[in-house]
Amino acid sequence: MNFDFQKVLQDAGEWMISSGLRIFLILILTLVAIKTCQVFLDRFFQRLFQKRKDEIEIKKRSDTLKAVARQILVIVIFVVALLMVLKELGVEIGPILAAAGVVGIAVGFGAQQLVKDVIQGFFILLDDQIRVGDVVQIAGKGGLVENVNLRMVTLRDLAGNVHFVRNGEITVVTNMTKEYSRYVFDIGVAYRENVDEVIEVIKQVDEDLRKDTTYKNYILEPIEILGLDQFADSAVIIKARTKTRPIQQWAVAREFNRRLKKKFDELNIEIPFPHTTLYMGQGKDGSAPPLNMVMHSQQKGNA
């Protein structure tokens, strides 16, 4: 069998001029299409949310939806480009599509969890439950949302640990930073203190904090005093709460606690620690039984 090298080169040249050139153009157009989609999505979501006033909420919502839409479009573009390349290589697309349909049905039965994740992820995004940049608690894990897609949510907690939570595992979403945030204070003072005076001190500390240039843009409303909440073992508990911009409640609370402790020290307002008071009882005539105490001392010898 004679090998015609010249004919092989001629056929290869013709293929490069025809199919090879078309494959090259397909690849170029694929990259251009991906870039165009990114620009289109940026402008589309910018116009979609331009009437919203809260820039932080706009950015969270826009970034989340853009990321998911970009993933879907990139997958579609790559699949279309792959089919076009296969066609140029002389591969019959029809049987491949038919086989893909059969395989898809089989995978659908075997990957029910994946289908559940995708459906659940779709409704999470549709209902705007979770956005990139939110702090949430889901499936027993909490942290800052770094990524959301149709399959899973990626969280990073305060210690830097990254949690990958499948959407199908999410039954309850606790979003602590949607539109605004709150922080609830349980402020304990000694029973001897005047509660009304303590409440005025709390209000004054909050007012000073809201005048601070560092924190005034974080706090949305004056502190809300809910009142004397409970009589604890060693203290009376005054409950209050503050309203802040999303994800700023912890920074505001830490600074408020620091200033409140400093103010209590200045005014000699006692913040009690756990202790026990012995009460021997008192009769109707005002007499009280004696409290007998015996002191024991133990001397240790030299070893």
Side-chain angles (χ1 to χ4, degrees), residues 115-126 148-152 167-168:
V115 175
K116 180 181 178 182
D117 293 341
V118 172
I119 294 176
Q120 181 73 4
F122 172 78
F123 283 107
I124 287 175
L125 294 173
L126 181 65
V148 181
N149 55 45
L150 292 176
R151 192 171 65 89
M152 68 171 53
N167 292 332

Side-chain angles (χ1 to χ4, degrees), residues 17 78 80 130 153 189 211 231 270:
I17 295 174
F78 270 116
V80 173
I130 301 175
V153 178
V189 295
K211 293 179 181 179
F231 296 98
E270 181 183 354

